[in-house]
Amino acid sequence: MTQLAPDSPDPPLRLDRVPVRSLNRVGPKVAERLDKLGIRTVQDLLFHLPVRYQDRTRLTPIQDVQPGSEALVEGEILDAEIASGRRRSLKVWLGDVAGAGLLLRFFHFSPQQVASLKVGERLRCYGEVRQGPQSLEIVHPEYRLQRASDEGTGARLTPIYPSTEGLQQSSWRGLTDQALALMEQASPAELLPAGILASLGLPSLTEALAFLHRPPIETSLQELMDGRHPAFARLAFEELVAHQVSLRRMRLEQRGIAAPVLNGDGRLRRSLLAGLPFALTAAQERVVAEIAGDLTQTRPMQRLLQGDVGAGKTVVAALAALQALEAGCQAALMAPTELLSEQHHRSLGGWVRSLGIEPLWLAGRHKGREREERLEAIASGAARIVVGTHALLQDDVAFRDLGLVIVDEQHRFGVHQRMKLREKGGRDGGAPHQLIMTATPIPRSLAMTLYADLDLSVIDALPPGRTPITTRAVPDNRRDEVIERVRLACEAGRQAYWVCTLIEESEALECQAAEETARQLSERLPGQRVGLVHGRLKSQERDALMAEFAAGTLDLLVATTVIEVGVDVPNASLMIIENPERLGLAQLHQLRGRVGRGSVESHCLLLYHAPLSLVAKERLGIIRGSVSGFEIAERDLAIRGAGEVLGTRQTGAIQFRIADPLRDQPLVPAAQRAADRILSQHPELATPLVARWLGEREHYGQV
Ligand code: ADP
Ligand code: MG
């Protein structure tokens, strides 16, 4: 550590420049492990906060320990033996003066341990108490032999850090001890103006960090764990401000970009509407108008279109695309998977072909000559509407005059990918307008935090004439009854889906399971025609099967979750979902949206495997109790983190380190005001703030 403490006051010590390797007990191995967690400097270490805390400051008398809770206990070893039952274990009986006893059980132990845990020794140990076969016990407690000279319990709560293999909690405590000592010499820069902090009653950064690493004993554990403590709020707030600053800078930058003005004469749009078998709903009319207005502006539209499954987003997208075409521009539609893009190509084709427009599909499977020809059609402008996946973002895809990009399923699309679209260029070096569609029901408040760089349009009502879906959860030991139910439905002339899911992330295994299920069901339902679709079929085969099902020549369609995307068969009124507990609520909701598209009442049976965990029970209850994607999302949010609900964790929408967009929602308005104030009055703080919290992810704002 000697190199850290220069004698001269110059240059000042900056913890964001001090590598962790300069700390004691950080060799190449530890440094590498820390690096895995993104910790390279002492400041990184300070921002690596505990996930939870333990109260090891209070000794619990052995007679008072409760199963299911963690406790610090002290006592004398009454007996110790190696038991050779089904699993060899070391059993140590601990007793106290009151005569109460507790069993400590070790399944892994060394000869030294056995030798040291002698009858008569005093032991202090910590761990989770549970009800064992004979008595209360702690398995693998942390323990220490007590000597008469040992002082009492600590004065602070014990932090537990998120860790990685090979780093013990004791190492974390040692490392953060050093970092906290250094922080006393050199605080990380305070990037929030004092006025803002004072008005919110929040502590300074240094106070907050010191507190969160070593909370004093009187701190409410509950408040800490819920993230409601002001020290926590201080950091969450700073992070929210950093994101708001970054998003605002992105917006400012966008304002400086020109976009083609798409003010066509409405001819194509009118023809499309005239040919539709239905009238737009009021909600569709409203969002169509919002989008149409944006497209006539000289700045690129950045709009998020939300609408539940089946809300009718496709026709809205088609109208927007036609508006671009009327103005002489091209339009592109991107979907996250090839299957979805294919589906869009087909449905869009259905809408616009009668207007003399043939959409072009570009996918990964187009290779060699075929790809060349397609690229040529895109570059020359011969292809007016182009449908594809991310493949459209590749460098060799050049448009002639791209006016509008429509992205389906935003939540699988990263912010930076969205930004990359700009490079695809509109006319005269401008950027294309962007419409992002999602069926993921993000509550409005959350959407404003996660997608603060987007305007929001919502289709908040389904087209008329849909009958509600009844959903029930059935344990899989009643599979026979469920199969009978399928038989009855099919005999009544209806069709059904049977959806197979698997724990393994292996497509091959999932397909195998589906094949097996299809075989069994064909056997059990001899009168019915059973089809099978899964991700390994060639797209032509899959299409053919779907077409048969749509035409009614198949009664039952066994499928993997591939049918999640856009199948529309109104006569299908029954869906069985196996192992629904393995799917996210959003995905379940999407799947279920495949039924209830016709005029008969539809049913969805969730065939679960008992016993369900409490959370799983609660989640299936949510699905059963609601058919509104928004309501489901709101309630799912309440029991899980936002990232999980939205599937954003893997997918590149904004991710927070400390803030929780749901929990910290009340802080958002203040964070927005603070961001404005920083940009106008303290612009020098903006860049370090964004760098601290978004780090390498900052680049997404600067394409
Ligand atoms: P999603 O929003 O899930 O993409 P789609 O655009 O696929 O929904 O629409 C679902 C179904 O509803 C389609 O069959 C579509 O033709 C139909 N639809 C769309 N708008 C209306 C409407 N206003 N009235 C009746 N049916 C509609
Ligand atoms: Mg759709």
Side-chain angles (χ1 to χ4, degrees), residues 27-37:
K29 264 234 174 69
V30 172
E32 196 181 303
R33 286 174 186 150
L34 290 172
D35 189 77
K36 255 195 229 147
L37 296 169

Side-chain angles (χ1 to χ4, degrees), residues 330-331 358-362 369-386 396-401:
Q330 292 168 293
E358 186 58 49
L360 177 133
W361 185 40
L362 182 72
R369 264 295 294 286
E370 208 181 357
R371 183 171 170 85
E372 289 305 313
E373 279 169 16
R374 279 161 204 253
L375 290 180
E376 171 51 32
I378 297 170
S380 72
R384 309 305 298 149
I385 298 183
V386 182
D396 62 345
V397 184
F399 287 81
R400 182 161 182 276
D401 46 15

